Amino acid sequence: MGNFTIRAIAAPLALAAIAATATPVAAQDANSEARLKKVEAEIRALQRKVFPGADGKFFEPQITQAQPTTTNTAAPTTTAVTDILARLDALESQIAGLTAQTEVNTNAINVINQRLDTLSGAAPAATTTTSSEAVGSNLSAMTGGASAAKPAPQPAQPAAKPSGPTAERLAAVQAITKPKTEDAGDDEYSYGFRLWDAKFYPEAEQQLSLFVEKYPKHSRISYGRNLLGRAYLDDGKPKEAAAWFLKNYQSDKQGARAPDSLLYLAEAMIAMKDTKRACIALAEFSDTYPAVATGRLSGQYQANLKKVKCN
């Protein structure tokens, strides 16, 4: 009964001692291991004193408050917690080292990029004055600016060409009246002739094109196609002119202006420096219209022969 009572009293005392000494693992400091060893030793001493041996005698405690008891077995110097803390410290140290190295590398890369930009001309021009520039500045200052280099004259920019006809040209074209008779086709042709005669060639080209398209069977059609070719030729467009001269001749060789178109076709070829085709057109003209070659158009025909050398 006495042993049971003592045991009932001792067990709570041991648990209380353990609970009193237990602290959160994360809050242990450098002395936690030593304190834990001391508590364990006191518990063992308490057990030996409370529980007697086989002979009913009590064991003396291994340690006292005045002098800690030493054991033959060496206690471990580290625990799992201290190992974890040590490893965490090592990892944090490595992370800090890597962060520092990354910053160093980033700074080095920025320096290299700046040098590359300078070499490729991307960096702004240096504002330092070269020795020759300094000498020139000093000489200019001593001579009152008389020796200063003068900027090279800039070539005059050509005036932009107007995108459309001027107001004066529009007024002049509008001054040319269009006839109004009972023959609408003849009115269109006559208006084109008046524009050509006034040397408004682009306007004449537009008007005569309208006439030949709208009135292909008109009695003036041979005149219209021939005059359209002449408007292009006088406007410096021999290629377009040659197409209309050839079309007028081939469409109706007996047309009123078919001989004229064949002779003007030779002139268009001469303007294009196509001597071979010019000679062919002149030969065709003399063979097809011998009376006209020696009559109405003889002067123009002889003038064209002098411009080329035909076999």
Side-chain angles (χ1 to χ4, degrees), residues 172-183:
V173 170
Q174 291 174 357
I176 299 175
T177 59
K178 181 180 181 179
K180 293 182 180 181
T181 66
E182 296 179 356
D183 190 345

Side-chain angles (χ1 to χ4, degrees), residues 202-222:
E203 291 81 357
E205 295 162 10
Q206 182 178 3
Q207 176 61 31
L208 292 170
S209 296
L210 184 150
F211 166 72
V212 299
E213 291 176 4
K214 191 174 182 179
Y215 302 98
K217 302 297 183 179
H218 197 273
S219 60
R220 291 276 195 174
I221 189 62
S222 181

Side-chain angles (χ1 to χ4, degrees), residues 43-190:
I43 291 174
R44 286 195 298 271
L46 181 60
Q47 289 175 342
R48 288 173 180 254
K49 188 172 183 179
V50 171
F51 302 105
D55 55 358
K57 295 182 179 180
F58 293 99
F59 293 100
E60 292 296 329
Q62 293 182 345
I63 59 173
T64 61
Q65 294 295 335
Q67 182 179 358
T69 304
T70 57
T71 60
N72 295 330
T73 304
T77 57
T78 61
T79 64
V81 175
T82 56
D83 289 341
I84 293 174
L85 293 177
R87 292 175 63 186
L88 287 176
D89 292 339
L91 289 174
E92 291 177 352
S93 178
Q94 292 178 2
I95 293 172
L98 290 174
T99 302
Q101 186 63 37
T102 301
E103 294 178 354
V104 172
N105 292 339
T106 302
N107 293 334
I109 291 173
N110 291 335
V111 172
I112 292 174
N113 289 335
Q114 291 176 0
R115 291 179 179 176
L116 290 176
D117 292 341
T118 302
L119 292 176
S120 62
T127 57
T128 57
T129 304
T130 61
S131 58
S132 59
E133 292 175 347
V135 172
S137 299
N138 293 337
L139 183 60
S140 175
M142 289 188 295
T143 59
S147 62
K150 297 181 180 180
Q154 298 295 327
Q157 297 294 331
K161 295 182 179 181
S163 57
T166 62
E168 293 78 3
R169 184 180 182 90
L170 289 174
V173 170
Q174 291 174 357
I176 299 175
T177 59
K178 181 180 181 179
K180 293 182 180 181
T181 66
E182 296 179 356
D183 190 345
D186 189 73
D187 293 342
E188 297 292 348
Y189 167 76
S190 298

Side-chain angles (χ1 to χ4, degrees), residues 23-38 76-79 81-83 85-86 89:
T23 59
V25 174
Q28 290 183 356
D29 54 13
N31 297 326
S32 297
E33 187 68 20
R35 294 173 61 191
L36 183 59
K37 290 179 180 180
K38 182 178 179 182
T77 57
T78 61
T79 64
V81 175
T82 56
D83 289 341
L85 293 177
D89 292 339

